[in-house]
Amino acid sequence: MSRTPPLRAAIVGTGHRAQMFTRALAERPGHLVAALCDPSPTRMAFHNGLLARAGQPTAAQWEPERFADLLVTEDIDEVVVTTVDAEHDRYIVPALTAGCRVVTEKPMTVDADRCARILDTVRETGNSLTVAFNYRFNPVHEKVRALLADGAIGEVLSVHFEWLLDVRHGADYFRRWHRDKHHSGGLLVHKSSHHFDLVNWWLGDVPQEAFGYGRLGFYGRDAGERHGLRREYERAHGAPEAADDPFALDLAANDALRALYLDAERDDGYLRDRNVFDGPITIEDDMAVLVRYSRGATMTYHLTAYSPWEGYRVMFNGSAGRLELEVEENRWQPPHTRIASARGALHGDTVAEHAGGARLTLRPLWQPPADVPLAVDHEAHGGGDPRMLDALFGPADPTRPTDTGAAAHPTATERDGALALAVGLAANRSFETGRPVRTDELIPPA
């Protein structure tokens, strides 16, 4: 579909994360948010408020069941999908078939069948699908890729990657729809797809096989009782037992959370503030994975969702040395009584309260180690979000100099989305079978 700007956009799924896209499109003269699609009129009205404050016209509000009609009636050019993960294909496939350009939040989808359906549709239509892997656009991550590509440590032979979610951020996945693996694919799909995409991109390689162990060892009823952390309530709002629980989320204390979720409960009954130490929870909170890549490199990966601090360590061992990255996104979490999150505070969209720093160390063979200078940005996923938005939709101010990194950066395609998904799916299956699982058993080769 080709048209003189502004391009007419539809945003599907109008929860928390969609705010970034609504604001971004409203700020860019080449785009117009023409339609919103969500089960909740309350959430769509909130996003129309964002458009009004940006001086933009009101977008039409549509029910999900009428999405195909939306595309035709509103004459849509581009679609942004930010729904529950398991619903992504429900909108990606008809949008591609209708000739729209599609941007989807990660993960691209949650299982092999849905992934195959998306890949088949891209191939059949020849239309564009981009997965919003914002961590690719973090300048620190771009520096790592440049060093590896330049041969700073020779051939990369192995990778060790540890990602830590602190007890505020990590817990949030266990309050909401992500706690159900049917909806999210578990954290190895929903969260770790970011990390698996980074390693695929850093190495310029394809994952072939994964083996893993995973458990629910901190959250959930049994673990909460075992560790003495459980309080007796289903959801925090209106529960006296949650008043002094540091794991409880106070929806009423924040305007955005109240409008997007508490006020919207009358529309769809969705509870955003479930007790993290209550069931049912079908995802893991502690996961260890071993991955083998097509050129022989291996990766050991661990995701912890209940850490005192938030950040990550990744080390590359090569034929000519070692490269080490450590990032402290949040050095520690104080025990606030009931979390009242501002926009993005739980998920890296805004600077952490106790942000740390980043250190990148190059250790060549037979030479002293050297710290590599870094420009660290703690806001908006390490500076990744604004640079990704520029790459996807162009700069908000066309007269300002374009960030060369964002302009030249390759965005993630449907194949990248599938390869990131493949590691999580293979590891999830390994949890069940106790054996290594080849990724081509799940995602067909290109």
Side-chain angles (χ1 to χ4, degrees), residues 1 7-11 25 30-32 76-80 100-102 392-393:
M1 192 174 290
L7 300 175
R8 294 176 62 81
I11 297 177
L25 291 168
H31 304 266
L32 172 71
I76 297 299
D77 300 291
E78 55 188 0
V79 173
V80 178
C100 300
R101 176 211 181 189
V102 182
L392 290 173
F393 306 117

Coordinates of all heavy atoms in Angstrom, one line a residue, residues 1 7-11 25 30-32 76-80 100-102 392-393:
M1 N 0.9 -1.2 0.0 CA 0.0 0.0 0.0 C 0.9 1.2 0.0 O 1.8 1.3 0.8 CB -0.9 0.0 1.3 CG -2.0 1.0 1.3 SD -3.1 0.8 2.7 CE -3.9 -0.8 2.3
L7 N 0.4 8.8 6.7 CA -0.1 7.4 6.6 C -1.1 7.2 7.7 O -0.9 7.6 8.9 CB 1.1 6.4 6.8 CG 2.2 6.5 5.7 CD1 3.4 5.6 6.1 CD2 1.7 6.2 4.3
R8 N -2.1 6.4 7.4 CA -3.2 6.2 8.4 C -2.9 4.9 9.2 O -2.7 3.8 8.6 CB -4.5 6.1 7.7 CG -5.0 7.4 7.0 CD -6.2 7.2 6.2 NE -7.4 6.8 7.1 CZ -8.1 7.7 7.8 NH1 -7.8 9.0 7.9 NH2 -9.1 7.2 8.5
A9 N -2.8 5.1 10.5 CA -2.3 4.0 11.4 C -3.5 3.5 12.3 O -4.3 4.3 12.7 CB -1.2 4.4 12.2
A10 N -3.4 2.2 12.6 CA -4.3 1.6 13.6 C -3.4 1.0 14.7 O -2.4 0.3 14.4 CB -5.2 0.5 13.0
I11 N -3.8 1.3 15.9 CA -3.1 0.7 17.1 C -4.0 -0.3 17.7 O -5.1 0.0 18.1 CB -2.7 1.8 18.1 CG1 -1.7 2.7 17.4 CG2 -2.1 1.1 19.3 CD1 -1.3 3.9 18.3
L25 N 3.5 8.2 17.1 CA 2.8 8.5 15.9 C 2.1 9.9 15.9 O 2.1 10.6 14.9 CB 1.7 7.4 15.6 CG 2.3 6.1 15.3 CD1 1.3 5.0 15.3 CD2 3.0 6.1 13.9
G30 N 4.2 12.6 9.4 CA 3.9 11.7 8.4 C 3.0 10.6 8.7 O 2.7 9.7 7.9
H31 N 2.4 10.7 9.9 CA 1.5 9.6 10.4 C 0.3 10.1 11.1 O 0.4 11.2 11.7 CB 2.3 8.7 11.4 CG 3.6 8.1 10.8 ND1 3.6 6.9 10.2 CD2 4.8 8.6 10.7 CE1 4.8 6.6 9.7 NE2 5.6 7.7 10.1
L32 N -0.8 9.4 11.0 CA -2.0 9.8 11.7 C -2.6 8.5 12.3 O -2.9 7.5 11.6 CB -3.0 10.4 10.7 CG -4.4 10.6 11.2 CD1 -4.4 11.8 12.2 CD2 -5.4 10.9 10.1
I76 N -6.6 1.9 6.3 CA -5.4 1.8 7.1 C -4.2 1.4 6.2 O -4.2 0.5 5.4 CB -5.6 0.8 8.2 CG1 -6.7 1.2 9.1 CG2 -4.3 0.6 9.0 CD1 -6.5 2.6 9.8
D77 N -3.1 2.1 6.4 CA -1.8 1.9 5.8 C -0.9 1.1 6.7 O -0.1 0.3 6.2 CB -1.1 3.2 5.5 CG -1.9 4.1 4.5 OD1 -2.0 3.7 3.4 OD2 -2.4 5.1 5.0
E78 N -0.9 1.3 8.0 CA 0.0 0.7 8.9 C -0.7 0.3 10.2 O -1.6 1.0 10.6 CB 1.3 1.5 9.2 CG 1.0 2.9 9.7 CD 2.2 3.8 9.7 OE1 3.3 3.3 9.4 OE2 2.1 5.0 10.2
V79 N -0.2 -0.8 10.7 CA -0.9 -1.4 11.9 C 0.2 -1.6 13.0 O 1.3 -2.2 12.7 CB -1.6 -2.7 11.6 CG1 -2.1 -3.3 12.9 CG2 -2.8 -2.4 10.7
V80 N 0.0 -1.2 14.2 CA 0.9 -1.5 15.3 C 0.1 -2.4 16.3 O -1.0 -2.1 16.8 CB 1.3 -0.2 16.1 CG1 2.2 -0.5 17.3 CG2 2.0 0.8 15.1
C100 N -1.2 -3.9 4.5 CA -0.6 -3.0 5.5 C 0.8 -3.3 5.9 O 1.2 -4.5 5.9 CB -1.5 -2.9 6.7 SG -3.2 -2.5 6.5
R101 N 1.5 -2.3 6.2 CA 2.8 -2.5 6.9 C 2.5 -2.7 8.4 O 1.6 -2.0 8.9 CB 3.7 -1.2 6.8 CG 5.0 -1.3 7.5 CD 5.4 0.0 8.1 NE 6.7 -0.1 8.8 CZ 7.2 0.9 9.5 NH1 6.6 2.1 9.5 NH2 8.4 0.8 10.1
V102 N 3.2 -3.7 9.0 CA 2.8 -4.1 10.4 C 4.1 -4.0 11.2 O 5.1 -4.5 10.9 CB 2.3 -5.5 10.4 CG1 1.9 -5.9 11.9 CG2 1.0 -5.7 9.5
L392 N 11.7 3.3 12.8 CA 10.4 2.8 12.4 C 9.6 3.8 11.6 O 9.0 3.5 10.6 CB 9.6 2.2 13.5 CG 10.1 0.9 14.2 CD1 9.3 0.6 15.4 CD2 10.1 -0.2 13.2
F393 N 9.5 5.0 12.2 CA 8.5 6.0 11.7 C 9.1 7.3 11.3 O 8.4 8.2 10.9 CB 7.5 6.3 12.8 CG 6.8 5.1 13.3 CD1 7.0 4.7 14.7 CD2 6.1 4.3 12.5 CE1 6.3 3.5 15.2 CE2 5.4 3.1 13.0 CZ 5.6 2.7 14.3

